[in-house]
Amino acid sequence: MVCLMQGFIPCPLELPGSAPCYTSQGRLPGVKVKYLLVVWLGIFVGSWVAYMHYSSYSELCRGHVCRMIICDQYKKGIISGSTCKDLCEERSLLFQHCLSSSPSQQVYRGLWRDREVIIKCGIGDALRADSRPDSVPRRDVVLFDKPTRGTSMDEFKEMLLNFLKSKLGDQPSLPALVSRIITMADVNRDGKVSLAEAKSIWALLQLNEFLLMFSLHEKEHTAKLLGHCGDLYVTEKIPHTSLYGLDVPPFLQSLLPSIVHQLIHQWFAPAWPRRAKIAIGLLEFVEEIFHGTYGNFYICESSLRNVGYNDKYDFKMVNLRKVATEMTIRGFLKGRHCEQNGDCTYGRDCTAMCDKLLKQCKSDMVQPNLAKVCALLQDYLLYGAPLELKEELQKQLRTCMTLNNLKTLLWKKISNTKYS
């Protein structure tokens, strides 16, 4: 016979004839209290992270506004493009998962004719013109104001050439680039460029990433441009957007210690020979963009989140918005007042020296592309590297003086194997 007393429960096990023992429900063992506290804290932190993540989603992700703006301009005949019909009439270009990190720069994974793509468009000017994010902007506040009606083809070509000189420098290859731009602008392939076609390509060229993507289109290490509508453009999807195959989400990075980051990277990293192949591609990209066909380009944020690879482990540059032309950086540094080197930094790490006597920035970069890339590759290549290679690999990464020595060393190890 078990008797219950108010506020007490019997012990789990009682011997026959012994006095019943009771445990107060108000007193749980200390271990359980700590356990419940940890669970409660985990739920609280998780809920806070989820709230912050999803409360910013509506601010960051405005694909419907982007579509509304573009399709409004298209239906009015102001813009044109190879994807306009699919986006605005047939609805075969679909926005799916939001990747935006800024409200003014909309980035989405999408689907176009059963192919996975990346869709990018900018809506900053339109949103600044009207405080209501769902409203269609007035025609006079959008980017599509140049060229104006009455501009001849020769005038438009000259306009393009002067613009490219200001961005890329006076390169002998620029007339050929102008011809390619004209060909892309001619969406209906009638041998002419309409005002809507000219406005669209001009607006696209104002976007740094599009200009670089177009200039580097022959390079295998950049995403392929698939189509455009106004200043919205579509590129191929790069399957892996981090060198390690998986990157810690930004909202969790500050909560996890660096050792956890490192372990996650090591667990999900490709096999070492595949990492060597990816690294070779990254080194080739550095080689291609310096003293290239259209001048010099600088990587101004060497981050794991800006570089990736495809399913064949070929290196791909994920984010060209962090790459700048030499002319852009020189324009930024020219006559710039400074007190220290940090005042002469374009982007995150394109830094020049500060002349402390003149209080002005110098024009030469302190850390060239190769040095940044080698720093990025140090942990990536040393972890799991073959023992007979490790000492020489450490030496090359430390000195990082020449591009070819490191590239040759890696290629020698994986050439004539399934990984090459």
Side-chain angles (χ1 to χ4, degrees):
M1 176 177 174
V2 178
C3 61
L4 297 178
M5 297 176 62
Q6 186 175 4
F8 291 85
I9 57 173
C11 289
L13 179 64
E14 294 181 25
L15 297 175
S18 64
C21 69
Y22 297 92
T23 303
S24 171
Q25 285 180 318
R27 296 180 185 175
L28 291 175
V31 174
K32 290 187 177 181
V33 172
K34 290 179 182 178
Y35 174 77
L36 289 174
L37 184 61
V38 169
V39 170
W40 178 84
L41 187 60
I43 293 172
F44 174 77
V45 171
S47 301
W48 178 79
V49 168
Y51 170 75
M52 295 300 293
H53 181 65
Y54 288 108
S55 65
S56 64
Y57 185 89
S58 59
E59 175 71 18
L60 288 176
C61 303
R62 299 183 176 184
H64 61 294
V65 178
C66 182
R67 181 194 291 274
M68 186 190 308
I69 292 170
I70 292 294
C71 292
D72 174 68
Q73 303 295 301
Y74 170 64
K75 289 170 184 175
K76 291 174 179 175
I78 296 172
I79 62 171
S80 179
S82 56
T83 63
C84 289
K85 189 174 181 181
D86 292 330
L87 177 70
C88 303
E89 296 177 15
E90 298 180 357
R91 296 295 181 110
S92 57
L93 176 59
L94 304 174
F95 290 75
Q96 292 185 320
H97 183 63
C98 176
L99 305 173
S100 305
S101 58
S102 165
S104 62
Q105 295 291 335
Q106 293 293 290
V107 183
Y108 284 80
R109 275 206 295 264
L111 200 63
W112 187 28
R113 299 174 182 174
D114 299 324
R115 176 180 182 177
E116 286 189 307
V117 295
I118 298 295
I119 306 168
K120 299 185 178 184
C121 73
I123 58 176
D125 290 341
L127 289 180
R128 281 195 293 272
D130 196 319
S131 59
R132 294 173 299 159
D134 291 332
S135 63
V136 177
R138 302 190 311 274
R139 290 175 63 168
D140 59 342
V141 298
V142 293
L143 280 173
F144 313 109
D145 57 346
K146 292 181 182 179
T148 57
R149 188 172 298 279
T151 303
S152 68
M153 180 59 78
D154 287 340
E155 288 172 327
F156 185 51
K157 287 182 178 179
E158 187 67 22
M159 185 175 162
L160 289 172
L161 185 60
N162 290 334
F163 172 77
L164 293 175
K165 285 180 181 178
S166 70
K167 294 294 184 180
L168 303 174
D170 193 0
Q171 310 292 335
S173 54
L174 293 187
L177 188 59
V178 169
S179 297
R180 283 188 44 240
I181 292 171
I182 295 293
T183 300
M184 181 180 177
D186 183 16
V187 176
N188 58 9
R189 300 290 182 263
D190 63 354
K192 303 174 184 177
V193 177
S194 68
L195 185 60
E197 289 171 338
K199 283 179 180 291
S200 298
I201 201 68
W202 180 258
L204 281 169
L205 289 170
Q206 310 311 305
L207 306 175
N208 178 64
E209 184 178 44
F210 180 87
L211 175 62
L212 297 186
M213 190 178 296
F214 197 82
S215 303
L216 299 171
H217 81 290
E218 297 171 346
K219 312 303 181 187
E220 61 179 305
H221 303 305
T222 58
K224 300 302 179 188
L225 185 65
L226 303 178
H228 73 283
C229 180
D231 65 340
L232 174 148
Y233 57 104
V234 182
T235 71
E236 67 172 326
K237 178 191 170 187
I238 298 173
H240 305 280
T241 55
S242 169
L243 282 180
Y244 285 96
L246 179 71
D247 205 10
V248 179
F251 63 91
L252 285 179
Q253 287 180 5
S254 59
L255 301 176
L256 298 177
S258 58
I259 186 65
V260 176
H261 287 206
Q262 187 177 3
L263 288 172
I264 291 173
H265 286 158
Q266 292 176 358
W267 289 337
F268 290 95
W272 188 88
R274 300 198 188 282
R275 277 182 275 143
K277 184 181 180 184
I278 296 166
I280 290 170
L282 176 52
L283 294 168
E284 287 175 346
F285 177 73
V286 170
E287 197 172 17
E288 290 167 352
I289 65 174
F290 198 70
H291 293 307
T293 308
Y294 302 113
N296 298 331
F297 299 81
Y298 291 91
I299 301 170
C300 290
E301 185 178 328
S302 49
S303 166
L304 295 173
R305 294 190 298 276
N306 295 329
V307 289
Y309 57 94
N310 63 16
D311 290 334
K312 295 181 180 179
Y313 298 92
D314 297 318
F315 168 79
K316 291 286 184 179
M317 194 70 186
V318 174
N319 188 357
L320 282 173
R321 289 173 58 198
K322 305 302 182 181
V323 177
T325 67
E326 183 177 18
M327 291 295 290
T328 299
I329 296 175
R330 287 188 181 277
F332 170 82
L333 294 173
K334 186 177 180 181
R336 187 174 184 84
H337 176 80
C338 65
E339 298 291 338
Q340 55 189 359
N341 291 351
D343 299 328
C344 303
T345 301
Y346 180 89
R348 189 172 172 182
D349 54 15
C350 279
T351 302
M353 295 290 288
C354 174
D355 187 327
K356 295 185 179 179
L357 291 176
L358 297 176
K359 301 289 185 181
Q360 284 193 346
C361 297
K362 296 181 179 180
S363 59
D364 296 325
M365 298 295 111
V366 173
Q367 191 181 34
N369 287 332
L370 183 57
K372 299 174 193 173
V373 165
C374 287
L376 194 67
L377 290 177
Q378 185 159 351
D379 290 339
Y380 189 69
L381 288 175
L382 290 178
Y383 168 70
L387 291 177
E388 71 276 12
L389 187 72
K390 204 159 190 175
E391 184 178 349
E392 179 64 18
L393 189 57
Q394 284 177 321
K395 177 183 174 182
Q396 290 293 336
L397 286 167
R398 274 197 310 267
T399 57
C400 207
M401 292 176 63
T402 61
L403 178 64
N404 289 331
N405 284 355
L406 179 56
K407 189 172 74 173
T408 302
L409 179 68
L410 294 173
W411 187 251
K412 193 183 298 183
K413 185 64 182 178
I414 68 170
S415 61
N416 301 319
T417 70
K418 65 177 182 177
Y419 299 105
S420 61

